[in-house]
Amino acid sequence: MKIRRHIPNALTLLNLFFGVSGIIWVIQGDILSGAYFVLIAAGFDFFDGFAARLLRVQSAIGKELDSLADVVSFGVLPGVILFSITKSKSDLDWLPYLTLIVPMLSAYRLAKFNLDTRQSDRFIGLPTPANSLFISTLPHFAVQYPSWGSLLLLPLSMVVIAWIFSILLVSEIPLIALKFKDYSLASNKTRYLLIFIGLTSFAWMQLAGIPLVILAYIGLSILEQATGSE
């Protein structure tokens, strides 16, 4: 029983381990690898909650530990990625620091999520893992599509992206959660469409397709809310 109780927390700590490892790799100059560390951390972030529910060992400390790990993996790591890109391309010493709004509002978002009882069947504001995946895979998109990348990775573009997506983190916009009450097409058409877009984009573009999936996620969520459809 004692060992079983610690399994979810061990998975959470692995989330933290890969988040910190990703930060180290980015600081050492390998920005493209940041996306892989975010993906690995996101995998452990999913499985720690899954394991806690499966083993029936959910706890208050596990919830707090999960948020602390997420601040690093999905807040600090994408912030360091944006900071590093901006610093490498800007002559203004102060400009890269504007991208650090990402870890700041990621931390606020996670604290708010822990206290918000409205987010049982959908998210309010952009989830930190989705934001982190968007930011960390932008360099892959820029490498695969250099004509867009030259504009996308401009220092000012990095700052604008940091602020827009940080505001989305703490916004009151309802966003789709991939939680199925049933599996009927009528009740889940938006979710199925998002899954189709995600699989197609990833198969066609690999990591470079993830930014498009996140944009589709935001767009479909807003459309669903505006039309009142599911």
Side-chain angles (χ1 to χ4, degrees):
M1 282 294 293
K2 290 182 179 180
I3 294 175
R4 187 175 72 176
R5 185 179 61 195
H6 293 296
I7 290 174
N9 291 343
L11 294 172
T12 301
L13 291 175
L14 285 171
N15 166 8
L16 178 60
F17 171 81
F18 284 103
V20 174
S21 299
I23 291 168
I24 293 170
W25 278 60
V26 172
I27 289 174
Q28 291 177 340
D30 191 350
I31 294 173
L32 288 174
S33 290
Y36 295 103
F37 284 100
V38 169
L39 281 167
I40 297 169
F44 283 109
D45 183 51
F46 170 80
F47 283 111
D48 65 3
F50 178 79
R53 291 187 295 272
L54 180 66
L55 299 173
R56 298 181 181 178
V57 290
Q58 292 166 293
S59 65
I61 192 171
K63 183 178 180 181
E64 298 304 321
L65 185 62
D66 184 70
S67 293
L68 291 170
D70 287 356
V71 168
V72 176
S73 298
F74 309 132
V76 179
L77 176 50
V80 170
I81 289 172
L82 288 176
F83 181 93
S84 299
I85 295 171
T86 307
K87 185 175 177 62
S88 68
K89 295 179 177 294
S90 175
D91 295 326
L92 301 173
D93 292 338
W94 55 269
L95 189 65
Y97 289 92
L98 295 181
T99 63
L100 298 184
I101 190 68
V102 172
M104 292 167 63
L105 291 193
S106 294
Y108 186 86
R109 151 87 194 176
L110 288 161
K112 179 182 175 184
F113 179 81
N114 281 348
L115 301 174
D116 195 339
T117 58
R118 301 171 297 165
Q119 304 196 44
S120 58
D121 60 345
R122 65 178 53 240
F123 296 111
I124 306 296
L126 185 66
T128 52
N131 184 55
S132 186
L133 284 169
F134 177 83
I135 290 170
S136 66
T137 52
L138 284 176
H140 290 265
F141 183 88
V143 168
Q144 193 161 327
Y145 300 95
S147 57
W148 285 92
S150 59
L151 176 63
L152 188 63
L153 298 185
L154 288 173
L156 184 58
S157 299
M158 293 287 93
V159 172
V160 170
I161 288 170
W163 279 77
I164 289 176
F165 277 80
S166 294
I167 291 169
L168 286 173
L169 286 171
V170 296
S171 70
E172 289 293 305
I173 300 173
L175 296 174
I176 302 164
L178 292 178
K179 297 177 181 179
F180 293 82
K181 295 179 180 178
D182 61 68
Y183 295 97
S184 67
L185 179 60
S187 301
N188 299 288
K189 55 181 178 292
T190 306
R191 292 179 179 86
Y192 284 129
L193 178 58
L194 180 60
I195 291 171
F196 174 76
I197 292 172
L199 292 175
T200 304
S201 298
F202 191 76
W204 175 35
M205 304 166 65
Q206 291 76 53
L207 290 182
I210 291 180
L212 301 182
V213 177
I214 303 302
L215 291 176
Y217 170 59
I218 297 169
L220 287 172
S221 297
I222 294 172
L223 181 62
E224 179 185 273
Q225 185 68 17
T227 60
S229 62
E230 290 292 333

